[in-house]
Amino acid sequence: MATDSSMVDPLAEGEPAPPVAAPGDRRRLSKWRLYSRRFARNRPAVAGVVIFVLLVAFALLGPLFARYDHVELDFLALSDPPSPEHWFGTNNAGNDLYAMVVVGLQRSLLIAVVVATGTTILSAVIGTAAAYFGGRVERVSLFVIHFLMVAPTFLLLAMMSNDSGGDWRVIALVLILVSWFFQARTIWTLSLSLREREFVHAARYMGVPGMRIVLRHLIPNIGSLLVINFTLGVVGAVMAETGLSFLGFGVKLPDVSLGSLIGIGSSSISSAPWMFYFPAAALTLLTVSMALVADGLRDALDPTSAAGGRA
Amino acid sequence: MVVAVTNLTYFLAWAYLDPRSNYVGRRPPLSEEQIVNLLEPRNLDDNVPLLERWWTWFSGIVFRWDWGVSPTGQSVNEQVAYRMWISAELMLGATLLLTLIGIGLGVYSASRQYRLGDRVAQGTSIITMNIPIVVAALGLVLLAIAFNNAVGSTIFYVTGASSPGVSGFFPTIVDTAQHIALPTAALVLVGYAQYHFLQRSLLLDNIKSDYVRMARAKGLTKQQAIRKHALRTSLIPVTTQVAFSIPGIFTGAVLTESIFAWKGMGQYFIETISKNDINGVVAVAAFGAVMTAIGAILADIAVVVLDPRVRVS
């Protein structure tokens, strides 16, 4: 059989004998060093981090290099292809596409991060609290969760954000409202077993108040799941926001996001394809890089996973 | 639950949509009386108390199965009945294809875990799964336009479900295929990966189990053991997942339909919201809720049929 231990699944092929360290030079790995080492071994995940950091840098530093503002109109260059003057070309009104992509990326990133943070916090608190307190709290939260699962959330989302007139804060809030409950349900299932553990009983008999147990003892124990949920939440939020904006229900002019840019670009896709290329490339890089990071994190944080290699 | 959701949507729709605004900005301006005359017979007049409107609407459904009319007077029943099948035409093929491709790839990459083929397949899948559907669909449109230009004739149509004026059996089939190819490809491209990952991890769990080792010990080849023993058990959860995706077949892919200009349920949904068509919005929501319920029931039936350990008493 193969002996290259990095490529062998120890579960399937039997554990190769662990390298015996001399008793003197055995060091303890801290949790975070272990995680980062496992993560760094996953090359696609590292590539995802690099792409994501570059995109964030582009969104933050891009305006420094922009020659035009995203609402500024250049009437001498209508629907121009990319040129030294306008790096990404212009649209039919003379807006500089480079400036618009930078602003759109900022907007999409901001919405995504806000939504992912809000969703993670809300689902963690509600899921664990429902499991820990039980009784009426549990029944009410589960009823709400199940009701939202049947409710036509995308419809609500479209109606509410259409009504908001394109304010990104309202869109972010509505996105949080319609996306927390799936995660909350998963967390509730996990926390059911967690609440029977000794350290929770110990804390309870010591008289620690309930909400404090939830925040200090239960939530840290599902920390790795929350980290993964957060990264996947960013992907989901970006996709939902761009879908809404593409249809015209989300961010509205003069504010732009990647979705609304693609929506504008799609109407002139055969005559001015660059209006589609650049926002689409930014959007795809954003979602794919975050998904690679989430995948790497899952392998790195999961103690039973063999995909990251040993240790 | 379905009835509760539908009624709740009715009130929510009234809170967010305003049919009156369809007529207010008209030129020449309509008088208040004219607007009321247009809206009142359609049960869309906001001067009538909400509860009364609700009762007219609800009793219409319960007693006459009449879901109301849009602000322009079209019957919602007709629209849904017609659009449902357009969505189904598009989504059935796509769901079938992406399920088969996903399961096939899953079996392939599970039986060669961590080898080159598995790594390449997984790498591709994680990328395609996270391409936003908008980008995938529009990218395909660009490719198809380039292809059509290169060939010199229109092989792929990028808009609509069919061309007008096509008759006869075979021309209709060819015409449909030309229209359906691109949206199906877009849906399959972004959708197959979830079944790939699901099938792969389920099959891996089963390959390591005792009864598959037993089958191998009996002298079956690895391929035979996977096909006859491991695959059968691992198909059960995948089937459940597919059954749950059936509501999507009829409610449709909102973004795909609007990009390719298919007049299905997804496109209806956008149209109703932007035209303040409250009765239409509620009908879409109710339809979605019913489909979700049917999907859940189908999933249960599928498990009973496939899994001999589950018996209905």
Side-chain angles (χ1 to χ4, degrees):
Chain A
M1 283 314 293
T3 49
D4 180 7
S5 65
S6 64
M7 296 296 282
V8 174
D9 176 13
L11 293 174
E13 309 285 347
E15 192 110 358
V20 183
D25 60 336
R26 174 178 290 177
R27 284 177 299 117
R28 284 195 55 192
L29 274 177
S30 81
K31 189 168 78 174
W32 296 108
R33 281 195 54 189
L34 180 70
Y35 289 160
S36 53
R37 190 192 275 191
R38 285 170 66 113
F39 187 81
R41 211 176 282 152
N42 189 335
R43 263 168 288 168
V46 176
V49 171
V50 172
I51 296 174
F52 184 67
V53 168
L54 285 179
L55 275 174
V56 172
F58 177 66
L60 294 179
L61 304 178
L64 298 181
F65 306 110
R67 301 189 180 183
Y68 299 90
D69 195 49
H70 75 285
V71 288
E72 199 176 317
L73 301 178
D74 184 352
F75 294 112
L76 298 175
L78 304 178
S79 292
D80 266 13
S83 64
E85 185 68 16
H86 296 279
W87 291 334
F88 289 179
T90 58
N91 70 2
N92 54 6
N95 291 103
D96 183 47
L97 193 58
Y98 175 84
M100 286 172 85
V101 169
V102 170
V103 174
L105 187 61
Q106 284 175 358
R107 187 58 77 232
S108 291
L109 269 174
L110 193 60
I111 293 178
V113 170
V114 168
V115 171
T117 314
T119 310
T120 311
I121 293 174
L122 201 63
S123 63
V125 172
I126 293 182
T128 45
Y132 176 75
F133 291 113
R136 196 178 296 153
V137 179
E138 189 171 32
R139 273 201 305 277
V140 170
S141 7
L142 281 183
F143 178 77
V144 172
I145 289 174
H146 287 157
F147 186 77
L148 282 172
M149 279 178 158
V150 188
T153 43
F154 194 76
L155 201 119
L156 300 181
L157 186 60
M159 283 198 299
M160 288 179 179
S161 69
N162 194 25
D163 201 58
S164 73
D167 187 343
W168 71 270
R169 282 162 298 196
V170 180
I171 297 169
L173 203 68
V174 178
L175 275 172
I176 294 174
L177 273 180
V178 299
S179 52
W180 62 274
F181 50 90
F182 277 106
Q183 294 177 19
R185 184 159 160 97
T186 329
I187 289 169
W188 170 73
T189 329
L190 278 175
S191 310
L192 279 185
S193 66
L194 219 51
R195 79 171 172 204
E196 304 299 332
R197 297 274 287 275
E198 291 83 355
F199 62 88
V200 177
H201 287 306
R204 186 189 294 179
Y205 297 142
M206 274 155 62
V208 181
M211 213 47 214
R212 201 180 162 85
I213 296 184
V214 166
L215 293 178
R216 294 287 296 276
H217 297 276
L218 289 177
I219 291 184
N221 267 286
I222 50 168
S224 55
L225 178 76
L226 293 182
V227 171
I228 295 163
N229 274 352
F230 177 80
T231 43
L232 289 177
V234 169
V235 179
V238 169
M239 290 211 185
E241 184 272 321
T242 47
L244 278 179
S245 302
F246 176 82
L247 296 173
F249 294 146
V251 172
K252 286 176 182 152
L253 288 171
D255 202 356
V256 289
S257 82
L258 291 178
S260 64
L261 283 179
I262 294 176
I264 299 166
S266 74
S267 56
S268 58
I269 194 158
S270 48
S271 59
W274 59 88
M275 303 236 322
F276 164 69
Y277 288 144
F278 292 103
L283 178 62
T284 312
L285 283 176
L286 180 59
T287 50
V288 170
S289 68
M290 264 335 246
L292 290 175
V293 172
D295 201 49
L297 280 176
R298 183 164 29 210
D299 286 343
L301 299 181
D302 178 3
T304 61
S305 163
R310 295 173 47 73
Chain B
M1 210 63 164
V2 170
V3 176
V5 165
T6 311
N7 284 302
L8 189 74
T9 318
Y10 187 77
F11 291 113
L12 273 174
W14 268 108
Y16 284 102
L17 301 175
D18 179 19
R20 172 177 292 268
S21 64
N22 286 13
Y23 295 102
V24 168
R26 281 253 180 115
R27 248 162 231 287
L30 295 173
S31 70
E32 174 67 27
E33 199 181 342
Q34 280 173 308
I35 296 179
V36 170
N37 281 343
L38 278 168
L39 289 177
E40 223 239 298
R42 293 166 187 165
N43 193 27
L44 291 170
D45 184 12
D46 49 5
N47 292 329
V48 178
L50 183 56
L51 274 176
E52 204 180 313
R53 271 176 273 158
W54 170 78
W55 175 246
T56 317
W57 168 82
F58 191 65
S59 59
I61 294 171
V62 172
F63 299 126
R64 287 173 284 125
W65 195 243
D66 177 8
W67 286 81
V69 291
S70 72
T72 49
Q74 286 165 310
S75 156
V76 170
N77 287 37
E78 272 172 34
Q79 288 283 321
V80 171
Y82 159 74
R83 285 164 181 272
M84 184 171 110
W85 296 112
I86 292 189
S87 282
E89 186 186 343
L90 171 63
M91 298 300 289
L92 266 179
T95 309
L96 207 66
L97 259 177
L98 67 88
T99 312
L100 288 180
I101 293 178
I103 290 179
L105 262 179
V107 173
Y108 171 81
S109 58
S111 53
R112 28 186 75 230
Q113 192 191 16
Y114 297 146
R115 293 208 214 134
L116 186 63
D118 175 35
R119 299 225 174 218
V120 171
Q122 283 215 71
T124 322
S125 290
I126 197 164
I127 290 176
T128 55
M129 187 162 84
N130 290 290
I131 295 178
I133 177 83
V134 181
V135 175
L138 288 172
L140 279 171
V141 167
L142 275 177
L143 281 181
I145 291 174
F147 182 80
N148 284 343
N149 286 340
V151 176
S153 67
T154 311
I155 306 289
F156 297 114
Y157 289 96
V158 293
T159 52
S162 57
S163 317
V166 179
S167 56
F169 182 67
F170 286 108
T172 311
I173 288 189
V174 172
D175 181 62
T176 308
Q178 282 180 324
H179 283 97
I180 211 171
L182 286 179
T184 309
L187 287 170
V188 170
L189 184 70
V190 298
Y192 81 91
Q194 54 163 327
Y195 294 115
H196 174 195
F197 289 123
L198 184 65
Q199 179 69 63
R200 178 180 178 274
S201 61
L202 287 169
L203 193 54
L204 278 177
D205 288 346
N206 280 317
I207 284 178
K208 286 168 199 154
S209 66
D210 288 340
Y211 63 89
V212 175
R213 190 172 301 147
M214 166 74 186
R216 292 275 278 139
K218 275 194 320 194
L220 267 66
T221 65
K222 191 170 181 187
Q223 292 308 318
Q224 282 173 322
I226 288 176
R227 207 172 54 238
K228 295 207 166 148
H229 295 265
L231 183 56
R232 289 197 180 174
T233 40
S234 63
L235 271 179
I236 297 167
V238 179
T239 319
T240 325
Q241 186 93 353
V242 176
F244 269 114
S245 80
I246 284 178
I249 291 180
F250 286 91
T251 44
V254 177
L255 291 167
T256 321
E257 280 180 7
S258 73
I259 290 171
F260 290 103
W262 280 58
K263 295 204 178 299
M265 288 298 284
Q267 204 250 0
Y268 188 50
F269 161 74
I270 299 166
E271 213 179 283
T272 49
I273 289 187
S274 48
K275 287 187 181 163
N276 291 313
D277 180 357
I278 289 180
N279 294 326
V281 166
V282 181
V284 173
F287 192 74
V290 170
M291 284 299 148
T292 313
I294 292 180
I297 294 168
L298 275 180
D300 283 352
I301 294 176
V303 169
V304 171
V305 170
L306 287 172
D307 194 340
R309 288 168 297 185
V310 180
R311 282 281 167 260
V312 189
S313 52

